[in-house]
Amino acid sequence: MSDARYDATAFTVRFTAEGDDVPTVLPLDGLLARRSGSRRERRAQVDSFVSGFLRAPGLPGSWAEVRPLLRPVLRGATPAPTAEVSAPLCRPALPYLAEYVVVDQPDTMTYVAADQLTVWDVDADAVFAAARANLSGAVLQGVATEPVVVQFVDDGNAYWTSHLLLPGWLARLADQVGGVPVAFAPERGTLIVAADGSAHLSAVFGRCEQAFEASPRALTPMAYVSDEHGRTVPYAAPPGHPLHGCVQRAAAVLAVAEYTRQARVLGDDAAPLQVTGSERDGWRTRAVWAKDAPTLLPLADEVRMGERIVPWAELRAELAPVPDLNPPRWGAARWPGVAG
């Protein structure tokens, strides 16, 4: 495959098979799960894994064939750079996260491209609905007598983190975790659900941030709950709440990660974002506008311009939103208040 590319962040290989118009993404997670035996046996497992895919590449040509294979997945809002291929089908799901659709075949997972819908003669809503309907919607058995922490470990087929996209699914775990369910999805293969009010919740925030930063398949360090309509939303902890600092920091860490990914796509004009502050004083995001030159600013609590630190609210009127960017950015030609 002449266009094969390895993505270390996503731990995948992306390429376009002969005769296909859309790329295939080959997730390598399965190799880790199967890693056993001698070096020769492990090499044979790799050979079997790849050749098994190459015998049956590509996407099914008809909607009837592909519909039962669709699955929704949560990913960062910024797709990996794919200038030479069609854009993947996606829609906003949660702050800094988007919902994509993949075709789940025995050894491969292929993202559905937006223009593939024309081939199948369906609209985007039908594709997203079919993908969600194919999730198991599994529930836990039994009733917890006290708050507990439950960890779902994905074998590559369960799509546990995708279950957060199912309306009402998280709320239905209340009896099994001993309270209002609070979910964490630090990386694509791990879903952790704890009870709100649990003494372990603060520690779970810390564990999930470590897992998020260490994983090549990082997803989010934030916590999530169900709202009154059953939709998954970020866990809220206003000032004065014992977990306010944890929630504040998790949101800042995710914002920095996603804007960093986006900056790799946009290039040098994209200003970086940093986490600043402390547990005592609170956590903030800071955009760094290093030089008096055109830039694309990420949404931040404050902006550093040279040696000055300026609150975002004081600059907002001087900035112009950049269309079609998620997460959003604002453009400016030079530092506000500097004479020409």
Side-chain angles (χ1 to χ4, degrees):
M1 301 297 176
S2 61
D3 68 341
R5 293 184 304 162
Y6 171 61
D7 185 336
T9 300
F11 199 43
T12 61
V13 171
R14 175 185 293 267
F15 59 92
T16 305
E18 184 177 356
D20 284 353
D21 295 324
V22 294
T24 291
V25 177
L26 183 63
L28 305 179
D29 311 58
L31 292 176
L32 297 181
R34 303 176 190 190
R35 192 171 177 81
S36 61
S38 66
R39 182 174 181 177
R40 176 176 296 180
E41 290 170 334
R42 294 197 300 271
R43 178 56 187 263
Q45 290 169 1
V46 172
D47 291 344
S48 175
F49 178 79
V50 175
S51 63
F53 164 76
L54 293 176
R55 285 194 295 269
L59 299 178
S62 73
W63 175 241
E65 291 176 305
V66 78
R67 182 172 182 170
L69 303 178
L70 299 177
R71 302 290 187 274
V73 292
L74 270 174
R75 296 290 185 267
T78 303
T82 55
E84 75 281 13
V85 300
S86 302
L89 177 69
C90 68
R91 63 184 180 184
L94 290 160
Y96 301 106
L97 299 177
E99 178 180 3
Y100 296 77
V101 176
V102 299
V103 179
D104 184 25
Q105 295 171 302
D107 285 321
T108 64
M109 182 186 72
T110 306
Y111 284 87
V112 173
D115 60 6
Q116 185 67 32
L117 276 59
T118 303
V119 177
W120 294 332
D121 192 25
V122 294
D123 60 24
D125 288 342
V127 174
F128 284 113
R132 289 188 177 192
N134 289 333
L135 288 183
S136 65
V139 297
L140 298 173
Q141 302 299 318
V143 175
T145 58
E146 60 182 359
V148 298
V149 178
V150 177
Q151 180 166 331
F152 299 78
V153 179
D154 209 316
D155 61 359
N157 298 309
Y159 289 86
W160 286 123
T161 57
S162 298
H163 280 65
L164 296 177
L165 295 166
L166 298 181
W169 181 81
L170 181 58
R172 290 197 293 271
L173 301 180
D175 288 344
Q176 284 71 44
V177 299
V180 175
V182 181
F184 298 81
E187 56 96 28
R188 298 176 190 178
T190 302
L191 176 67
I192 298 172
V193 182
D196 192 12
S198 167
H200 302 290
L201 212 51
S202 176
V204 175
F205 269 100
R207 284 172 46 202
C208 287
E209 181 179 334
Q210 292 176 353
F212 172 79
E213 293 185 334
S215 175
R217 306 179 307 145
L219 192 54
T220 170
M222 292 178 62
Y224 303 91
V225 294
S226 282
D227 68 8
E228 63 272 19
H229 303 292
R231 295 172 301 201
T232 300
V233 296
Y235 178 79
H241 190 287
L243 294 175
H244 176 66
C246 294
V247 170
Q248 203 178 39
R249 179 174 173 84
V253 168
L254 178 58
V256 168
E258 283 304 310
Y259 273 117
T260 300
R261 277 165 45 92
Q262 186 190 61
R264 289 198 289 265
V265 178
L266 297 177
D268 294 340
D269 286 343
L273 188 68
Q274 301 174 342
V275 177
T276 187
S278 66
E279 192 67 31
R280 185 189 66 181
D281 300 328
W283 299 102
R284 307 182 304 282
T285 53
R286 177 182 293 171
V288 181
W289 192 351
K291 298 179 180 179
D292 184 14
T295 193
L296 299 174
L297 287 174
L299 180 62
D301 295 311
E302 60 191 33
V303 179
R304 179 172 181 174
M305 301 187 304
E307 298 301 317
R308 290 188 295 160
I309 306 296
V310 182
W312 177 265
E314 293 185 14
L315 295 176
R316 177 65 184 86
E318 307 289 335
L319 307 174
V322 180
D324 302 323
L325 284 183
N326 186 21
R329 283 184 184 262
W330 284 258
R334 62 183 315 167
W335 288 343
V338 178

